[in-house]
Amino acid sequence: MSISRHFVLAAGGTGGHMIPAHAVAEELMARGHHVALVTDARGAKIPGIFDKSPDNRAQVHIMPAGRMTKNPLSWPGALKAILAGRGMARRLNETFRPTAVVGFGGYPAMPALLGALADGIPTAIHEQNAVLGRVNRLLSGRVDAIATAYPDVQRLKSAYASKVHLIGNPVREEVKQLREEEFPALTDESVFRVLVIGGSQGASILSSVVPEGLSMLPVALRRRLQVTQQCRAEDIERVRKAYAEMEIPADLATYFNDVPEKLGWSHLVIARAGASTLAELTCAGRPAILIPLPSAMDDHQTANAREMTEAGGARTIPQARFTAVELAKQMQKMALEPGALQNAAKRARNCGRPHAARDMADLLESIGTAPIVNDPVRVGPTPTTLNLAGVPA
């Protein structure tokens, strides 16, 4: 018999935080639980995330979240926002009565976790990257459980080892299904499909380097290419023109709602090394050329790429060396050596942790001690989106 409980999931407003939170929410709701998401205005607007939850059981709450930068002048305002968010989180706890509160990183997670700690509610954090993020670093000593995506996580103190659980990065169900499919058939004459994604906001360097790099490939390979590429709005027409001049079929967009479908028929992915991207690549088993974002905090994307690269499922090119010539060279090694792509796909798949959402839900159920709740408790109005901060949702 399923025991219905309430869980609060708190996540920063980027795809890297929101996608794992969404996957865990779907798993919890499939078990009959009720979920509330705490995020910022950015997170609430990400297309396809939490707006397709079955039966509208996921509430979405926008709360203020102060960002502590290196500039001391910003600290008073940030602290004020954090405390305001903590107060709102405690009011949510009073009415929603969560069994546990879990943070998926990012500053919007901090007020929710601080509110839970103040109210004595069990807490957990999930770290998507191979380097512990700032908010998770601040709260790791106080939470009940720490879920990680990699066996080795930098900046995670060894003193917390007893409460660390290797979970992986939860991915969408559509990506998990790809794991059961064969790598797309590829012969010397067939279409060679390349997917280029730069994270939820695209990446201008990919728009600059990739078309030029593809133009340097041998004619026989270039004529087989079919490219699907995410671009920033300011780059898309320039990239479209470049592919048209090369006579390479290209599908370009600023955002793809159907990444799992596109991933399914791709032979090679060129991408940043964000946590969610790597989780999907390894779950589906797709070879990749990775260009870590050098400005990522603590260079965590380079750390993220290490496991897949060392396993042979990807090639990593530091952005400082990411030129058209280098890209063309690496692509030829993967595309022209017999069996290289298929072998890389298998090695990538071996790094995948497809049951991360299930395992994370198990962990949350195990630390939760709140009373059983048979009916959902609604906070405020009937609609599933409640803007506690007064910011338009």
Side-chain angles (χ1 to χ4, degrees):
M1 178 179 177
S2 177
I3 299 176
S4 179
R5 300 181 187 274
H6 289 175
F7 294 91
V8 170
L9 280 57
T14 67
H17 300 303
M18 291 287 288
I19 289 174
H22 179 263
V24 174
E26 294 289 351
E27 175 67 24
L28 289 169
M29 291 188 293
R31 300 183 183 197
H33 301 307
H34 301 282
V35 172
L37 169 75
V38 170
T39 187
D40 57 15
R42 293 182 307 158
K45 292 177 180 178
I46 294 179
I49 304 295
F50 282 93
D51 59 1
K52 296 180 180 179
S53 300
D55 301 330
N56 288 326
R57 285 177 291 169
Q59 303 178 20
V60 180
H61 304 277
I62 300 175
M63 294 184 185
R67 182 178 179 85
M68 302 293 288
T69 68
K70 293 181 180 180
N71 181 6
L73 295 177
S74 69
W75 295 352
L79 181 59
K80 182 178 179 181
I82 291 171
L83 292 176
R86 175 180 175 272
M88 293 175 183
R90 296 193 70 181
R91 291 197 292 275
L92 173 62
N93 294 339
E94 185 178 353
T95 52
F96 191 69
R97 293 185 296 156
T99 297
V101 175
V102 55
F104 287 86
Y107 281 95
M110 181 178 285
L113 288 167
L114 290 176
L117 290 168
D119 291 333
I121 297 170
T123 54
I125 55 175
H126 178 271
E127 179 54 60
Q128 296 91 48
N129 295 300
V131 182
L132 199 65
R134 185 174 295 176
V135 170
N136 285 346
R137 206 179 305 161
L138 288 170
L139 297 174
S140 56
R142 301 180 62 188
V143 298
D144 298 291
I146 302 170
T148 65
Y150 296 93
D152 298 311
V153 178
Q154 298 173 28
R155 300 211 173 192
L156 176 58
K157 294 181 179 180
S158 58
Y160 305 148
S162 61
K163 58 182 178 180
V164 173
H165 306 263
L166 177 59
I167 296 291
N169 267 321
V171 299
R172 292 166 282 190
E173 188 62 35
E174 302 95 314
V175 176
K176 288 174 61 177
Q177 292 172 2
L178 296 177
R179 194 171 177 84
E180 308 306 319
E181 300 178 7
E182 295 291 331
F183 184 72
L186 185 64
T187 67
D188 292 340
E189 291 78 32
S190 63
V191 173
F192 186 90
R193 297 184 179 91
V194 179
L195 175 63
V196 186
I197 47 178
S200 60
Q201 302 300 319
S204 288
I205 192 169
L206 300 183
S207 296
S208 298
V209 174
V210 174
E212 185 181 357
L214 299 188
S215 74
M216 296 179 177
L217 295 173
V219 175
L221 175 57
R222 191 170 70 241
R223 287 177 175 171
R224 294 167 49 206
L225 291 176
Q226 180 176 309
V227 178
T228 300
Q229 182 164 348
Q230 181 188 18
C231 305
R232 289 184 180 272
E234 60 267 29
D235 299 328
I236 195 165
E237 291 306 321
R238 172 173 55 85
V239 176
R240 182 174 285 116
K241 181 180 178 181
Y243 284 127
E245 290 174 350
M246 288 185 282
E247 298 183 339
I248 295 177
D251 175 20
L252 310 179
T254 57
Y255 188 87
F256 292 121
N257 286 321
D258 56 347
V259 169
E261 179 182 347
K262 289 176 167 53
L263 190 63
W265 45 249
S266 298
H267 297 107
L268 177 66
V269 179
I270 302 173
R272 289 297 197 187
S276 289
T277 296
L278 289 178
E280 294 185 345
L281 289 172
T282 55
C283 184
R286 292 297 180 271
I289 293 175
L290 302 173
I291 305 90
L293 178 67
S295 61
M297 185 175 294
D298 300 314
D299 196 23
H300 67 253
Q301 288 203 3
T302 297
N304 291 349
R306 189 168 295 122
E307 181 183 37
M308 186 178 177
T309 301
E310 290 179 350
R315 293 171 183 261
T316 295
I317 306 176
Q319 183 163 306
R321 294 196 292 107
F322 183 55
T323 63
V325 172
E326 182 65 19
L327 175 62
K329 181 174 71 174
Q330 297 298 336
M331 282 193 66
Q332 287 182 73
K333 288 181 179 180
M334 299 184 78
L336 299 180
E337 292 180 7
L341 280 171
Q342 291 85 345
N343 184 51
K346 292 178 182 177
R347 291 170 179 267
R349 189 179 185 276
N350 288 340
C351 295
R353 297 180 176 89
H355 303 302
R358 180 200 68 187
D359 295 344
M360 190 69 200
D362 286 346
L363 177 61
L364 293 176
E365 287 180 334
S366 72
I367 68 169
T369 58
I372 298 171
V373 180
N374 294 319
D375 297 307
V377 177
R378 295 293 179 187
V379 182
T382 301
T384 57
T385 299
L386 179 64
N387 180 11
L388 292 178
V391 180

